[in-house]
Amino acid sequence: AVVSTQSTGVIRAKYTLHSGEKRESILLASGWWGIARHFHYVPELLLSFFWTVPAGFENLMPYSYLIFLFILLTHRTFRDDAKCSEKYTTFWDAYCKQVPYKMIPGIF
């Protein structure tokens, strides 16, 4: 069963390792992790953008790192979600219902 309340913002997820050993993890659904599952990627993207802005907007080349990072982190949200879904099963489903956005609240 999923143990979760909105007031605590915690889901205690039980899972089994390939060896058969049973474990438990805490899935945070409050603070930054209550806003979006991978919200911590947003400041990194913003930082790379602000590092690049002084180069101006006449050439795309300075923004290649930002573009690369955006693609990398966006793809990573899908990989992480798939991995966590497999690991935590119904607990992950409950977590995704509580925190519906992957990276940017209200958008993605």
Side-chain angles (χ1 to χ4, degrees):
V2 175
V3 179
S4 173
T5 63
Q6 288 285 8
S7 62
T8 61
V10 170
I11 296 174
R12 296 192 177 279
K14 295 174 174 51
Y15 63 97
T16 306
L17 298 174
H18 293 292
S19 64
E21 182 181 351
K22 302 222 182 260
R23 294 265 177 105
E24 182 177 289
S25 288
I26 295 173
L27 301 175
L28 299 175
S30 64
W32 295 115
W33 285 267
I35 295 171
R37 295 190 295 272
H38 305 282
F39 186 74
H40 55 290
Y41 294 161
V42 173
E44 186 150 350
L45 288 167
L46 287 173
L47 187 60
S48 70
F49 173 74
F50 289 120
W51 276 336
T52 309
V53 165
F57 297 98
E58 293 178 10
N59 192 341
L60 185 63
M61 190 61 183
Y63 294 88
S64 60
Y65 175 67
L66 173 63
I67 294 165
F68 165 76
L69 192 62
F70 178 79
I71 293 167
L72 175 90
L73 293 178
T74 302
H75 184 258
R76 189 175 184 182
T77 63
F78 289 100
R79 290 190 329 244
D80 288 352
D81 281 4
K83 194 174 181 180
C84 289
S85 179
E86 182 182 332
K87 180 178 181 178
Y88 298 119
T89 61
T90 58
F91 298 101
W92 186 254
D93 295 337
Y95 177 64
C96 289
K97 280 185 181 176
Q98 198 165 335
V99 184
Y101 298 106
K102 288 180 185 284
M103 193 163 56
I104 303 170
I107 298 172
F108 171 70

